[in-house]
Amino acid sequence: MPEFSSQIVDDLLAKHGLPSGMPFRSEFEGVVNEVWFAGEFVVRINKNQNYESDVWTETVAVPALTDQHIRTPDLVVFDSDMDIVPRLVTIYQRVPGIPLSQITDLPNPDEFFRDLGRAIRSFHDRVTVVDDPQNLLDPAWTIETNDLDMPPNWTFDTTEPYVFCHQDLHPDNILVEDGKLTAIIDWGDAGWANRSVDLRYIPAKFLSVTLEGYGPISELTRRNILIHILDQSRYATENQRSYGRYGDSTSQEVRSLIRT
């Protein structure tokens, strides 16, 4: 896995007529991109070619989002030339904030999650068309319920119309500044799907206030959300995965939610 230098980042910015801003590497990055901050820009260099499809997905997803004024950084440059570096490069407008997974104290967590619900609803409702002639968006998330300890007669409903979804909306992809939501990032898994998938990572104790912000849903959607939260709890336990104070649910919290 290559690690690129600040000089290479400067060269990429200069290629596209953008100022340098003394690049430095972010301490927060996922498996897809090496992330550099440079003044008002974020330079992301693909570091794993197995995930190149995520970069391509973002090139059609993000413009559709910013056209509708969704809280996500603008895509300034997509560079597939592979001349300065042999990888796909994207340059985004920088938005203040650190991942929710790194936050240990929200001044008003209920209002934060209420606002997060509003933000999710905004792209579910407003992004109705995506220019995607090459079918770069991801397929809908499918959920396997056979090994879930669900109440009798529960099933995952697939009859409701799909909406535009992030499909990987865990706390690493939610930016926070001064206790407030600033942006939703990393749209590499975006596609048309059941809206419940974007509430999968909401902690059980904050689901009710999140849904207050999100707005009206059907009973079928609410059931689907609970199934997703149950499945995520199972996955996190089996894989010892944590998303921090505002990303995790205890098994007791999940079971209590399922009983409501």
Side-chain angles (χ1 to χ4, degrees):
M1 179 181 71
E3 289 194 358
F4 303 102
S5 68
S6 59
Q7 182 58 59
I8 285 176
V9 175
D10 269 342
D11 292 344
L12 288 165
L13 290 163
K15 174 184 175 181
H16 297 286
L18 301 174
S20 165
M22 299 178 64
F24 64 95
R25 190 166 176 184
S26 170
E27 60 181 307
F28 308 117
E29 60 183 39
V31 298
V32 179
N33 298 298
E34 191 170 301
V35 180
W36 289 78
F37 295 129
E40 61 184 293
F41 301 106
V42 176
V43 179
R44 304 198 311 167
I45 306 171
N46 176 244
K47 64 182 179 182
N48 187 332
Q49 290 174 304
N50 293 326
Y51 291 100
E52 278 189 352
S53 63
D54 284 32
V55 183
W56 285 101
T57 296
E58 288 192 328
T59 66
V60 296
V62 172
L65 291 155
T66 53
D67 281 351
Q68 295 299 320
H69 308 290
I70 305 303
R71 279 181 277 182
T72 195
D74 288 338
L75 176 60
V76 179
V77 169
F78 170 54
D79 187 340
S80 59
D81 295 341
M82 300 193 183
D83 49 359
I84 295 175
V85 291
R87 296 296 174 88
L88 299 176
V89 175
T90 48
I91 303 176
Y92 284 86
Q93 200 75 35
R94 187 175 176 182
V95 173
I98 64 173
L100 177 61
S101 57
Q102 305 303 311
I103 299 293
T104 57
D105 184 35
L106 285 172
N108 190 334
D110 282 0
E111 182 50 38
F112 178 87
F113 279 95
R114 198 174 285 115
D115 188 39
L116 178 58
R118 289 190 288 266
I120 297 170
R121 187 63 179 250
S122 70
F123 61 81
H124 283 179
D125 283 358
R126 283 155 46 188
V127 179
T128 58
V129 176
V130 178
D131 185 14
D132 183 25
Q134 298 181 38
N135 295 317
L136 298 175
L137 292 177
D138 269 25
W141 181 309
T142 57
I143 185 167
E144 179 56 63
T145 61
N146 291 337
D147 57 348
L148 290 182
D149 182 19
M150 298 190 302
N153 302 320
W154 274 33
T155 58
F156 189 86
D157 179 73
T158 59
T159 63
E160 293 195 329
Y162 281 176
V163 297
F164 188 74
C165 292
H166 185 286
Q167 297 202 102
D168 194 27
L169 196 48
H170 53 68
D172 289 346
N173 292 332
I174 298 168
L175 296 188
V176 182
E177 178 80 352
D178 295 329
K180 298 186 181 299
L181 170 68
T182 57
I184 293 171
I185 62 171
D186 289 356
W187 294 84
D189 294 314
W192 303 102
N194 188 288
R195 69 181 69 232
S196 61
V197 69
D198 282 341
L199 293 107
R200 173 184 178 91
Y201 297 96
I202 301 296
K205 62 185 174 184
F206 293 119
L207 180 62
S208 62
V209 293
T210 304
L211 291 178
E212 286 176 15
Y214 186 87
I217 56 173
S218 71
E219 284 302 313
L220 292 176
T221 293
R222 186 178 187 280
R223 175 74 57 80
N224 284 354
I225 293 168
L226 297 182
I227 292 172
H228 264 296
I229 290 174
L230 182 62
D231 185 53
Q232 176 57 27
S233 176
R234 175 198 59 79
Y235 174 86
T237 298
E238 291 179 357
N239 294 275
Q240 298 183 321
R241 186 68 166 94
S242 172
Y243 285 111
R245 180 177 180 184
Y246 296 105
D248 295 339
S249 302
T250 67
S251 57
Q252 182 177 355
E253 288 169 342
V254 173
R255 299 314 306 179
S256 177
L257 181 65
I258 295 300
R259 288 194 296 269
T260 60

